[in-house]
Amino acid sequence: MSVATSLIRTRDVVRTVGPTLSPPTLDMLRESDARAAVTGRPDTAVLSKLRASGLLATAVPEAYGGAGGDAAAVNRVVAQTATVNPSVAIILFQHFAVCARIDEWGTDEQKARFLPALASGEFLAASAWSETGAGAAKKRLASLAERLPGGRWLLNGAKSFTTGAGVADLYLVLVQTSPAQDDPASSYGSAGQTFFLVRGDNPGLIPDLSLDLVGMRGSATGFVQLGNCEVTDDDRLGPLGHATALIAGVRESGATLGAVSTGIAQAVYDLAAEHRARLDASRAQAIRHQMVALSTLLESAHAFVARAGHRSSDDPGRTTLQAKLHASAAAEHMCLEVSRMLGSAGYVVDHRLNRLIADARAVALMGPTNDLCRELVAKSWEN
C-alpha cells in the first residue's frame, strides 16, 4: 500500500478521504441496533463509547479540536453508520448539523464555548424544531420566547419528534420571538423565528421519551417541553427573527438525510446477497436479474448522495433535497423487493429486514419531509 493510500487511525476513526468506522465500532453498533429494536430505548452505553471514539468531531473545524470534515465526510460517516444502526446514524446526523450551524453562524464566543466540547464528545447535540400543529414547513410555531430585562429570554412551548431527546447535552431550539409574518419567498419557517442554543441541563427543558416508534427505535426521538426555560441573548444563534436564513443554508450544505437511506439500502442489499449465497445454483441463477436491479438502484443512491456532499452541481441546495428524495425512495423500494425475494424466510418478527423496512420509511418523514422536499425543489425552478 502506498503512502498516499495508507490509513491513519485516530482512536476508533479511520481516515482516508474522510473518517470511516472501524470494524469493532461497526460490530458494537450492530449489536446495539438489535437490542434497541426490543427495548425501544436509546443505548446510552454505546452512545458513551461513541463520545469517546472521536467520531463526534467529524464536522467540527480543526481549529476547535475537530476533524474538519466537509459535507462529503459527514455523508460517508452517516451512511456507514446506517448500514448497521440507522438510529445512531440519525443521532449523529443531527449532531453534525448543529456543529455546522454553530460554525457558520456562531459568534467567536459561542464557537469557543461549544465546538471543542462537541468535538471531544463531552457534548452531544440535537435539533428541536418540530412541534405538533406547526406543519412540515414550521410556519405556525406555538413555542414562544419572551424577552426579559438584562438580555434574558423565557422560552415556553413543546417540541415533538426531537431526535436525541434526553441524551443530548445541547439543543438547537426554534421558537417564535415576534409575531409570525408570512414570507411568500420562504417555504420553510417564517419571519419572526429565532434559534437558541439550550443546554440539556437547563431546568426549563424537560425531555419526554414516551413516543413508541415503529422504526428508528434507538434514536431517542421524543418530545421536549420548554417550561419557563431561561436563556440569555448570548445563547441566541444567528440574527434575531431571521431563523429562515439558517434554515435555508442547511440544504445548501450538501449534508443530506439521504445518507441514512443509502446506509439502509446497502444493508438490505447485503441481506439479499447473503440470501442468494444460501440458495442452490438454479434458484440463485433465477434471481440474478433482480440482484442486478437492486445493485443498480443502490449505486444510483450512493452516487446522488456523493454528488450532494461534493456540492458539484449547478444548484447544490436542490441536489441536496433531491438526494434525500431519491435515496429514501430507493431504500424503501429495495426493502420491499428484498422482502418479496426472501419470502417466508424474512417474515418473522426478529428478522433484521423488518427493522430496516421500518427505518427506511422513517427517513421520508424526517424534516424536511419528502413532501416538503418536493415543494422546495419545485419552487427552486420558479426563481
Side-chain angles (χ1 to χ4, degrees):
M1 180 180 291
S2 69
V3 174
T5 58
S6 64
L7 302 180
I8 304 172
R9 291 188 177 272
T10 306
R11 288 178 281 181
D12 279 343
V13 181
V14 181
R15 295 180 62 188
T16 51
V17 183
T20 303
L21 278 70
S22 67
T25 300
L26 291 170
D27 290 340
M28 175 185 70
L29 290 170
R30 186 179 292 107
E31 294 166 3
S32 174
D33 183 64
R35 289 194 299 270
V38 176
T39 65
R41 310 291 294 180
D43 192 332
T44 53
V46 164
L47 291 177
S48 294
K49 291 178 181 178
L50 281 181
R51 287 172 183 265
S53 72
L55 196 64
L56 297 187
T58 299
V60 176
E62 293 180 354
Y64 295 96
D70 58 7
V74 165
N75 289 344
R76 282 192 296 272
V77 168
V78 170
Q80 192 177 13
T81 304
T83 63
V84 291
N85 195 317
S87 292
V88 170
I90 289 293
I91 292 174
L92 286 176
F93 183 86
Q94 296 297 342
H95 174 85
F96 296 150
V98 175
C99 291
R101 301 295 82 71
I102 294 173
D103 180 42
E104 292 169 356
W105 292 92
T107 63
D108 290 342
E109 186 276 331
Q110 287 173 330
K111 292 178 183 180
R113 183 171 21 139
F114 294 121
L115 288 179
L118 291 166
S120 70
E122 178 187 352
F123 279 10
L124 178 65
S127 296
W129 298 14
S130 300
E131 57 186 59
T132 303
K138 313 292 188 294
K139 283 184 170 293
R140 297 181 298 278
L141 293 182
S143 298
L144 304 177
E146 176 189 357
R147 189 192 290 269
L148 302 177
R152 296 173 299 131
W153 293 86
L154 206 59
L155 313 184
N156 281 285
K159 295 295 176 179
S160 59
F161 290 94
T162 297
T163 295
V167 298
D169 309 281
L170 185 67
Y171 295 80
L172 181 59
V173 180
L174 180 64
V175 293
Q176 201 75 40
T177 47
S178 61
Q181 302 172 34
D182 186 36
D183 181 1
S186 174
S187 296
Y188 203 152
S190 64
Q193 294 175 355
T194 304
F195 281 113
F196 286 92
L197 292 162
V198 184
R199 289 280 300 266
D201 57 5
N202 188 311
L205 187 147
I206 305 168
D208 174 3
L209 287 177
S210 61
L211 275 176
D212 192 10
L213 301 180
V214 173
M216 300 293 182
R217 289 178 57 75
S219 64
T221 297
F223 304 100
V224 171
Q225 182 74 33
L226 302 169
N228 291 328
C229 179
E230 187 171 323
V231 294
T232 71
D233 210 50
D234 291 336
D235 300 314
R236 173 172 52 82
L237 184 67
L240 180 64
H242 292 280
T244 51
L246 279 74
I247 294 171
V250 173
R251 59 181 176 270
E252 298 293 334
S253 70
T256 172
L257 277 167
V260 178
S261 293
T262 59
I264 294 172
Q266 182 68 61
V268 79
Y269 176 82
D270 291 344
L271 285 180
E274 292 166 7
H275 171 74
R276 184 171 185 264
R278 291 191 293 268
L279 300 177
D280 58 47
S282 62
R283 293 172 65 199
Q285 183 78 350
I287 64 170
R288 70 191 191 282
H289 286 181
Q290 288 175 269
M291 293 299 297
V292 170
L294 291 173
S295 176
T296 303
L297 194 54
L298 174 62
E299 288 301 319
S300 71
H302 276 302
F304 217 146
V305 168
R307 181 171 168 83
H310 289 301
R311 303 184 75 254
S312 57
S313 71
D314 292 338
D315 189 334
R318 183 163 62 213
T319 301
T320 300
L321 295 168
Q322 290 177 311
K324 189 211 175 194
L325 285 170
H326 178 71
S328 59
E332 285 196 66
H333 178 76
M334 290 177 64
C335 282
L336 294 178
E337 287 297 302
V338 173
S339 177
R340 296 184 185 98
M341 184 185 295
L342 268 61
S344 59
Y347 200 65
V348 291
V349 170
D350 62 350
H351 198 290
R352 187 172 181 231
L353 173 62
N354 298 307
R355 301 202 303 271
L356 291 170
I357 290 172
D359 290 344
R361 178 59 187 147
V363 180
L365 304 174
M366 294 176 178
T369 65
N370 279 13
D371 282 345
L372 181 56
C373 283
R374 294 183 185 98
E375 176 61 26
L376 292 168
V377 170
K379 200 169 186 66
S380 73
W381 293 332
E382 300 168 5
N383 297 333

